């Protein structure tokens, strides 16, 4: 199934309060922003601003359930404990950009 045929994401996210997504970027928006940039440029993830000016290279991209009110996420499918998250009315289907471990 292609992304245009998957209405689950659109339906799930349509139920969420729009205030929780105000000022966010969608995958389509990100593609548009990156379209004219050099292919060999490194993507760097900046801190959310609460802990200073830390930055890290992007290491992984993962589809997740995002909980905007808690600022946390859960993987799609089974987690490490074998549990499956059943999305609630305020959970967003999202793409998580995970920074590299800077140690």
């Amino acid at each position: 199934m292609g992304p245009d045929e998957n209405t689950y994401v659109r339906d799930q996210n349509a139920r969420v309060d729009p205030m929780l997504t105000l000022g966010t970027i969608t995958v389509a928006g990100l593609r548009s922003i990156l379209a004219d940039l050099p292919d060999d440029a490194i993507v760097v993830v900046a801190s959310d601003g609460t802990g200073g000016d830390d930055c890290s290279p992007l290491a992984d991209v993962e589809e997740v359930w995002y909980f905007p009110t808690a600022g946390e996420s859960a993987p799609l499918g089974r987690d490490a404990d074998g549990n499956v998250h059943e999305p609630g009315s305020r959970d967003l289907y999202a793409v998580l950009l995970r920074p590299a471990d800077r140690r």
Side-chain angles (χ1 to χ4, degrees), residues 43-54:
V43 176
V44 175
V45 179
S47 169
D48 64 3
T50 60
D53 294 333
D54 295 342

Side-chain angles (χ1 to χ4, degrees), residues 6-27:
N6 186 350
T7 60
Y8 182 71
V9 173
R10 188 171 45 251
D11 294 345
Q12 173 66 27
N13 290 355
R15 298 184 310 170
V16 176
D17 183 348
M19 292 302 290
L20 296 174
T21 60
L22 191 64
T24 59
I25 296 175
T26 63
V27 170

Side-chain angles (χ1 to χ4, degrees), residues 45-99:
V45 179
S47 169
D48 64 3
T50 60
D53 294 333
D54 295 342
C55 297
S56 296
L58 178 64
D60 190 24
V61 177
E62 179 183 2
E63 293 175 283
V64 299
W65 290 112
Y66 175 63
F67 318 125
T69 55
E72 298 174 351
S73 65
L76 296 184
R78 298 200 180 281
D79 64 13
D81 296 328
N83 300 318
V84 175
H85 175 75
E86 292 294 327
S89 62
R90 301 183 84 179
D91 299 350
L92 287 168
Y93 179 93
V95 176
L96 178 65
L97 305 178
R98 196 175 303 280

